[in-house]
Amino acid sequence: VQLQASGGGLVQSGGSLRLSCAAGPSVVGINNMGWYRQVLGNQRELVATIDRDFKDKIADSVKGRFTISRDNNKNAVYLQMNSLKPEDTAIYYCNAIIEVGEAIIRSYEYWGQGTQVTVSQ
C-alpha cells in the first residue's frame, strides 16, 4: 500500500492550492486520513484530519482557510487551501490509517512522500 500525494507548488500570497492523496492498492478500508506539514528544522505539525464518518479536525492556524475532504470510493483525501500565507510554506504530508489483509485484517499507519507548498509574498 502506498499514499501518493500531489498538488503542491508555488503560489502568491492570497492564492489557492488543492492537495490530493490517494491510497492503493490492496486497501480494505481507511480510518482516519489527514494532512501534516513540516518546515525544515521544525517538528511535523497537524494541519487537518478527517475520519471515515467525515468528521474533521482543523488546526487553529488554518481554520477558515483550509478544508479537508475525502472520497471513500477513491480511497482519497483532499486539502483545499485558500487565502494562503507565506507562513503556510512547508512540505505537506498525507497520512492515513489503512486496513489491509485478507483472512486477518490489520490497521497500519502510512505516510505519503510529501509535496512542497511555497507561498510567496
Side-chain angles (χ1 to χ4, degrees):
V1 174
Q2 289 185 334
L3 286 176
Q4 186 67 40
S6 61
L10 173 63
V11 64
Q12 287 189 330
S13 181
S16 297
L17 283 173
R18 184 174 188 250
L19 305 183
S20 301
C21 179
S26 307
V27 173
V28 174
I30 304 179
N31 296 315
N32 272 25
M33 304 186 82
W35 292 94
Y36 292 72
R37 67 186 182 185
Q38 187 171 23
V39 176
L40 188 63
N42 290 357
Q43 286 189 334
R44 193 170 296 186
E45 64 175 7
L46 181 147
V47 176
T49 61
I50 185 167
D51 66 19
R52 62 197 320 165
D53 296 321
F54 305 100
K55 183 176 180 180
D56 64 16
K57 182 185 298 184
I58 310 291
D60 288 342
S61 58
V62 304
K63 198 168 291 184
R65 301 187 296 120
F66 290 13
T67 303
I68 189 169
S69 61
R70 64 187 283 171
D71 184 332
N72 288 339
N73 291 325
K74 296 181 178 179
N75 294 327
V77 62
Y78 309 97
L79 186 68
Q80 178 65 43
M81 305 184 292
N82 298 328
S83 303
L84 281 160
K85 304 176 181 180
E87 51 263 43
D88 294 318
T89 296
I91 299 175
Y92 284 70
Y93 296 90
C94 62
N95 172 275
I97 308 299
I98 300 175
E99 298 172 339
V100 299
E102 295 180 355
I104 299 175
I105 306 299
R106 288 195 172 97
S107 294
Y108 298 94
E109 182 177 33
Y110 292 87
W111 290 92
Q113 82 280 15
T115 184
Q116 177 71 48
V117 171
T118 302
V119 184
S120 63
Q121 294 281 3

